[in-house]
Amino acid sequence: MSRARFQAVLFDFFGTLVDSLSASAHNDAVRAMGRLMGAPEQAFLVQWLSDYDARGSGRWPTVEDCVVHTCETIGISPDRARAAQAARIRVAFIRQALVLRPDARATLEAIKSRGLKTGLITDCPPELPALWPALGLEQLIDAPVFSCTAKLRKPDPRIYRMACDRLDVPPDACLFVGDGGSRELSGAEAAGMTAVCIRAASEDGYDPHRVDPETWHGPRIAALAEILGLLDAAR
Ligand SMILES: [Mg+2]
């Protein structure tokens, strides 16, 4: 029997395994953090949004540090205790906003039952690795790679290679699944993987970087469970 083409499936997180965050709810929560810090809330929001890339690159190690930076940038002298409180509000907001796609858990279990490994490559701020143990995915994702701790963001080829190294699989044995933010699909292909575009879980999502889906000519799926058919067809 020939070797199966894929040995691992790697996932994006926001918009792929979970719904993207609602943009309006997200921005309301950030304004509330600004109010707590005594900042003009719109100025706080604008600065928080403009720091998106830097937070995902791990420039500030904790959520509290992110809050402090945003305040200082707009000329507010931050109270550390309030910044800690704002960080707790932020983490609680992200926690309640994370809703797994209905077929996520069963699909991950089915992939693992086929003997394949699973990975995660997500551009994310420090909230996600802080929450990861509480999400119940540790048994289902063998190698989570978070941009903020890797200090690399998609589509940097090194972040894909990092995931491969941690899974001990070559890139050409990896199927990458994402909704196309951060140019992650073309990035995965450039790194030597096969990529598939999944329709975003929600179109209202907070994702300022979803460019690939408009230009993507590769395979598309609408639900995670469709991955199983792709894997079986490739055997
Ligand atoms: Mg995404």
Side-chain angles (χ1 to χ4, degrees), residues 12-16 179 181 184 207:
D12 166 50
F13 190 64
F14 293 103
T16 297
D179 68 322
E184 62 191 353
D207 189 343

Side-chain angles (χ1 to χ4, degrees), residues 151-167:
K151 298 197 185 300
L152 295 167
R153 297 172 64 245
K154 294 177 284 190
D156 189 317
R158 293 174 295 175
I159 197 169
Y160 300 93
R161 202 174 311 131
M162 184 181 289
C164 288
D165 288 347
R166 286 179 53 183
L167 290 167

Side-chain angles (χ1 to χ4, degrees), residues 34-221:
R35 275 199 303 279
L36 178 66
M37 297 308 297
E41 54 186 65
Q42 189 61 22
F44 186 90
L45 173 64
V46 168
Q47 187 59 44
W48 185 266
L49 295 178
S50 84
D51 288 337
Y52 173 91
D53 288 349
R55 281 196 304 278
S57 300
R59 187 175 303 172
W60 306 289
T62 67
V63 185
E64 184 180 328
D65 292 325
C66 296
V67 173
V68 166
H69 166 82
T70 296
C71 288
E72 289 176 344
T73 306
I74 61 171
I76 300 293
S77 181
D79 176 275
R80 289 298 306 206
R82 283 190 180 224
Q85 192 182 346
R88 285 193 294 275
I89 289 174
R90 171 73 177 176
V91 171
F93 167 74
I94 300 289
R95 176 71 187 95
Q96 60 81 34
L98 293 180
V99 180
L100 275 178
R101 285 198 196 230
D103 55 352
R105 212 171 280 280
T107 302
L108 288 165
E109 286 168 355
I111 290 168
K112 291 184 75 69
S113 75
R114 283 163 164 77
L116 277 72
K117 297 175 181 174
T118 53
L120 182 82
I121 306 177
T122 173
D123 280 1
C124 66
E127 292 88 324
L128 189 57
L131 283 167
W132 188 249
L135 299 183
L137 293 173
E138 285 181 308
Q139 302 300 316
L140 296 174
I141 299 285
D142 299 313
V145 175
F146 305 103
S147 66
C148 58
T149 51
K151 298 197 185 300
L152 295 167
R153 297 172 64 245
K154 294 177 284 190
D156 189 317
R158 293 174 295 175
I159 197 169
Y160 300 93
R161 202 174 311 131
M162 184 181 289
C164 288
D165 288 347
R166 286 179 53 183
L167 290 167
D168 194 25
V169 293
D172 64 0
C174 292
L175 179 66
F176 180 87
V177 183
D179 68 322
S182 311
R183 299 187 184 275
E184 62 191 353
L185 303 172
S186 45
E189 296 233 302
M193 299 178 176
T194 299
V196 56
C197 181
I198 187 163
R199 192 169 66 211
S202 159
E203 289 303 327
D204 174 41
Y206 170 65
D207 189 343
H209 297 276
R210 202 187 298 142
V211 177
D212 268 349
E214 283 136 46
T215 55
W216 182 246
H217 296 297
R220 289 176 183 267
I221 57 176

